Amino acid sequence: MEKAQQLEILKQLIAIPSVNDHEADVADYLVTLFAPYRDQVTIERVTYAPGRDNLVITVGQGNKTLGLAGHMDVVAPGDLAQWDTDPFKATLKDGRLYGRGACDMKSGLAAIVVALLEMLEHQTLPGRLRLLATVGEETGEYGAAQLTEAGYADHLDGLVIAEPSADLSEVGYTAKGVIDYILTAKGKGAHASRPQLGINALDHVLEFANQAKARLAALDQTDPVLGPLTHVISVIEGGEQINSVPAQATLKGNIRTIPAHPNQQVYDILDGLVAELNQRPGYNLNLTYSFPEEPMPGNADAPLLRLIDQVHQEVFATPLTPVGQSGASDGSEFLHAKGDFSIALIGPGGSTSHASNEYVELAVYYQAIEFYQRLAQKFFD
């Protein structure tokens, strides 16, 4: 495939405004690319919601399976005045391709797709490869969760996710988990001059906040790569006006967990705290969680990671650095699949994820295509 064709595939993907939705349009386009090879591929669409289809494409044969994953959604472009170009019209400038998703992560998805197409075209498929193209990664990894529950990632022999990784100079192999929680409190309104007639809901969420911070701070184990568990209270809302006792209040927080202190340990602490406080007179607290993700353990010396380092040395002049990641990815869901396999996150794209004027270095995009092909060949060797 000529570079012009490789580039066109990425440009077409960026032109599809799959902002937290419309991933089925991306899937439609990808299916057309594999249509000439229908007798050699298995194409499955797994619908999450109308207009939101995950896509699973399996090529090649053999007893081993290498998974290659990427998400099809992007975040909103934000303030268009901050963009120098149309975010959904890929624009070339000074060796870079600009557009929403150019970095995170349509360049990674495109590089995997092109690598598979080229192996099909040249009949050089080394074994069984499975593309897992997901919906909803940016808002909760629920496409990856759906595919995992349906068994599409079961018993893989390795999984590579094409998340941007400092232009493929880093490989992520472990990651923190995420817990977003929402605490609501119901009290009783009263005039501020007669507070004894009311129940201050805001006082109750502040009591929870103080105790939660102290109890989670007691989880003092630190991961050598990821660092400690962190807890940020990010939103507090309550009350109607300055001279009234707040009858209701809300507190929101974000926790980043580590393998030594997994999510369940945090749930037990916070749920237990709510149960204790609700035994007090007047307390009426309710705690919910949104899109929690488990921490992703990993081993920098795993065979897949060693192989990635070996292939990286062949393609790139700079060394590869194994890293941990503080943000969640589809890997946090795929790790629940059956079987024992390593997950690695490595793909084109630098530091412009979610930013205005998002871009990918074209040279790195082309190198990523070569990298994924070589990795597939050596994985089965």
Side-chain angles (χ1 to χ4, degrees), residues 59-96:
V59 303
Q61 297 178 344
N63 295 323
K64 291 177 64 177
T65 305
L66 174 63
L68 301 166
H71 63 82
M72 298 180 286
D73 59 317
V74 297
V75 298
D79 183 2
L80 296 181
Q82 299 298 314
W83 285 79
D84 298 330
T85 62
D86 183 340
F88 296 108
K89 183 178 181 181
T91 303
L92 287 169
K93 183 180 179 181
D94 299 328
R96 295 171 173 174

Side-chain angles (χ1 to χ4, degrees), residues 26-314:
V26 178
D28 288 342
Y29 174 64
L30 295 180
V31 169
T32 66
L33 297 176
F34 286 92
Y37 309 100
R38 283 192 178 277
D39 59 336
Q40 302 177 57
V41 305
T42 300
I43 299 175
E44 299 171 84
R45 300 176 76 127
V46 182
T47 300
Y48 175 79
R52 312 199 72 175
D53 289 358
N54 299 283
L55 185 65
V56 181
I57 297 179
T58 306
V59 303
Q61 297 178 344
N63 295 323
K64 291 177 64 177
T65 305
L66 174 63
L68 301 166
H71 63 82
M72 298 180 286
D73 59 317
V74 297
V75 298
D79 183 2
L80 296 181
Q82 299 298 314
W83 285 79
D84 298 330
T85 62
D86 183 340
F88 296 108
K89 183 178 181 181
T91 303
L92 287 169
K93 183 180 179 181
D94 299 328
R96 295 171 173 174
L97 186 71
Y98 290 83
R100 176 52 87 219
C103 174
D104 186 12
M105 60 171 291
K106 287 183 173 176
S107 59
L109 179 61
I112 288 174
V113 167
V114 171
L116 293 175
L117 291 172
E118 291 198 337
M119 286 185 280
L120 284 165
E121 178 185 353
H122 299 294
Q123 298 184 355
T124 56
L125 287 169
R128 196 165 183 249
L129 299 159
R130 174 166 290 168
L131 168 64
L132 301 163
T134 61
V135 308
E137 190 271 351
E138 298 290 4
T139 50
E141 295 84 35
Y142 36 81
Q146 183 183 23
L147 292 183
T148 300
E149 185 176 355
Y152 287 100
D154 285 351
H155 306 298
L156 294 175
D157 295 281
L159 176 62
V160 176
I161 304 175
E163 283 285 352
S165 57
D167 289 333
L168 285 101
S169 66
E170 298 176 348
V171 56
Y173 68 95
T174 184
K176 284 189 171 182
V178 181
I179 297 175
D180 290 332
Y181 69 83
I182 303 172
L183 179 86
T184 58
K186 291 184 179 180
K188 181 181 178 182
H191 196 284
S193 65
R194 297 183 295 275
Q196 70 276 10
L197 300 180
I199 298 174
N200 193 321
L202 195 51
D203 281 347
H204 293 179
V205 300
L206 293 175
E207 178 67 18
F208 171 89
N210 290 331
Q211 292 210 35
K213 291 194 68 156
R215 296 186 187 196
L216 293 178
L219 302 178
D220 57 0
Q221 289 193 55
T222 297
D223 188 278
V225 177
L226 299 172
L229 176 147
T230 61
H231 175 210
V232 175
I233 293 174
S234 49
V235 176
I236 297 179
E237 300 170 333
E240 294 77 32
Q241 59 188 54
I242 197 168
N243 61 344
S244 295
V245 174
Q248 56 188 8
T250 300
L251 179 145
K252 300 179 182 179
N254 177 273
I255 301 167
R256 303 288 166 143
T257 55
I258 59 176
H261 296 304
N263 288 19
Q264 189 59 53
Q265 187 176 12
V266 174
Y267 301 148
D268 292 342
I269 291 172
L270 297 185
D271 291 341
L273 173 57
V274 168
E276 288 178 26
L277 293 175
N278 279 340
Q279 296 299 312
R280 297 184 181 182
Y283 273 74
N284 187 356
L285 304 179
N286 182 63
L287 182 63
T288 59
Y289 305 100
S290 61
F291 298 120
E293 297 293 348
E294 292 290 339
M296 189 178 83
N299 177 7
D301 198 42
L304 178 62
L305 273 294
R306 294 201 305 269
L307 179 63
I308 286 173
D309 183 64
Q310 176 187 340
V311 175
H312 188 275
Q313 292 180 44
E314 298 175 2

